[in-house]
Amino acid sequence: MALSTYTTPSGYRLPSIHSAPPFFTPQPNAATQATFTKHWTRLILFYARHRRLFYLRVEDAETTGGDWDEILRNSRINRRIHPPHLSFLLGELVSQHLAVYEPPKQTRTVLLYWRLPEEWAEVLHDWAASTGQMNTILTFYEIAEPPVPSPLSGIPPTLLRAAINILIKQSRAQIIAISDGEGVRFLAGNTSR
């Protein structure tokens, strides 16, 4: 079978390397493995962004029909990534600061940074400004689950908190104690990034 691109049912266009059987297994040659790891890293992050997926688990390698099935398997060539190889790739994502283990102190699930926390901070502040939410106290839930879908819809609390902490350091947000926990107020603040 010649290497070719393929468009998945979700509309994601897989790169041609995804149709190479060796892509799904660890490679003994370090240079080949480094190249494949680079391609896997890009594929995972781009696909996560396409599907708005935040978490990848080692178990996803064995979950047929799951959110990640389109890239972790290639039924056209009868290949799939195995859990130990996916675990290695998760470790690589973490070592490159493109993911963090979530929850901490385990190595089977990562929170993917298809946008870095600094990028999420800008998205968050821009959203607050464009929706007239400046100087308004909002709960984390109101931000992550707004009545009108936004670029922040479904953002995990850990990632949202990281973005807010960046804005706090830039004097563009502050945490406010409210009756049912914490809220955040966005400020015009310092725009020099």
Side-chain angles (χ1 to χ4, degrees), residues 36-53:
F36 282 7
T37 298
K38 182 179 87 173
H39 284 288
W40 268 114
T41 298
R42 289 176 46 95
L43 177 59
I44 287 168
L45 292 173
F46 288 4
Y47 184 77
R49 187 175 189 137
H50 169 77
R51 296 276 316 272
R52 294 191 55 82
L53 301 172

Side-chain angles (χ1 to χ4, degrees), residues 26-94:
Q27 296 300 303
N29 179 290
T32 303
Q33 183 59 53
T35 298
F36 282 7
T37 298
K38 182 179 87 173
H39 284 288
W40 268 114
T41 298
R42 289 176 46 95
L43 177 59
I44 287 168
L45 292 173
F46 288 4
Y47 184 77
R49 187 175 189 137
H50 169 77
R51 296 276 316 272
R52 294 191 55 82
L53 301 172
F54 290 97
Y55 294 99
L56 179 56
R57 303 169 306 135
V58 172
E59 292 77 18
D60 289 324
E62 298 177 311
T63 305
T64 304
D67 288 336
W68 291 95
D69 207 34
E70 289 182 334
I71 67 165
L72 300 181
R73 285 178 171 47
N74 186 332
S75 58
R76 295 173 294 121
I77 59 170
N78 196 25
R79 291 288 188 270
R80 70 179 177 92
I81 195 165
H82 293 279
H85 192 183
L86 183 55
S87 181
F88 165 77
L89 293 171
L90 297 184
E92 288 296 306
L93 284 160
V94 170

Side-chain angles (χ1 to χ4, degrees), residues 8 12 17 19 53 61 68 98 102 109 112 118 132 147 175 187-188:
T8 67
Y12 185 78
I17 197 166
S19 62
L53 301 172
W68 291 95
L98 299 171
E102 179 67 26
T109 303
L112 296 165
E118 295 80 7
I175 296 289
L187 310 166

